Amino acid sequence: ILKMLGNVFVVDVGSSCVKSGYCGDDSPAFIYPTVNSKWQKNIQYVECIEESQSRIQEGSVSYTNTLHPYQRGAVVDWDQMSKYWQRLYDEIGIKSIDIDSILIVESPKTVSKDRLKWAEILFEKFGCPSICFLNSASASIFAAGRTSGIAVDCGAGCTSTVPVYEGLALKHASITSDYGGQDITQR
């Protein structure tokens, strides 16, 4: 089935980091902080996840509102997010001709106008051939080999509990809180 899909590049944007890689891989190929500063050409990498090829940028980064375009499960600065995508494309070396589609794993808080803005940026600025959006709760349930269940996600910026039935996230029954791991760490 994966060969039928072609080269699908998966991107999971979070409040603290972006995880990305190709569909069918066991783990993300790239993990970068969701911050638009301190990226330099001579980036040093360190192992991020045990026994995987995933990597994260090492060094100090500034977590200010203007340089942190994605917070608490939503994009707060589209201009900075577009610049972030440009850096991501440049660092990873993605070319639109190399991929058949981009799958964006979205937060349960994502609304239609945000999907349209994602699509506008990826189609018009980066020339993506196709884009698909997948709710993170549905992705978690699928990863567990199920189609129905309750997904609990505690990220850096928000926590959500989402029931999933036959692969569809039931947004009307979801609970999301703007309290996440960064809030616990700061206390």
Side-chain angles (χ1 to χ4, degrees), residues 1-68:
I1 293 177
L2 291 176
K3 289 185 182 200
M4 291 175 21
L5 295 173
N7 263 346
V8 177
F9 194 72
V10 181
V11 180
D12 182 0
V13 181
S15 296
S16 69
C17 65
V18 171
K19 298 165 287 300
S20 58
Y22 287 94
C23 182
D25 290 349
D26 290 334
S27 61
F30 307 96
I31 300 177
Y32 288 103
T34 313
V35 177
N36 226 2
S37 68
K38 304 289 186 190
W39 278 23
Q40 300 171 4
K41 291 293 179 195
N42 58 348
I43 296 174
Q44 297 175 352
Y45 295 98
V46 294
E47 284 300 319
C48 178
I49 297 176
E50 258 181 42
E51 299 177 19
S52 82
Q53 297 299 315
S54 301
R55 304 192 184 282
I56 189 165
Q57 183 178 356
E58 182 183 62
S60 62
V61 286
S62 173
Y63 291 97
T64 61
N65 287 346
T66 57
L67 297 177
H68 205 66

Side-chain angles (χ1 to χ4, degrees), residues 60-152:
S60 62
V61 286
S62 173
Y63 291 97
T64 61
N65 287 346
T66 57
L67 297 177
H68 205 66
Y70 193 86
Q71 299 174 9
R72 310 236 181 245
V75 176
V76 293
D77 187 339
W78 283 104
D79 200 37
Q80 285 294 323
M81 196 70 208
S82 180
K83 290 176 186 175
Y84 182 85
W85 272 89
Q86 183 64 56
R87 284 185 164 177
L88 193 65
Y89 261 62
D90 292 345
E91 288 295 321
I92 296 173
I94 300 173
K95 294 180 179 50
S96 294
I97 57 170
D98 294 340
I99 58 171
D100 296 312
S101 184
I102 290 185
L103 172 65
I104 298 178
V105 180
E106 63 182 9
S107 162
K109 294 175 69 173
T110 303
V111 293
S112 294
K113 72 176 185 133
D114 287 349
R115 279 188 213 100
L116 288 172
K117 189 66 178 175
W118 280 114
E120 177 187 325
I121 291 169
L122 292 173
F123 281 134
E124 294 178 8
K125 186 170 182 177
F126 299 103
C128 291
S130 67
I131 301 168
C132 184
F133 295 93
L134 176 64
N135 187 290
S136 62
S138 296
S140 294
I141 297 297
F142 293 151
R146 311 263 182 213
T147 58
S148 298
I150 296 177
V152 179

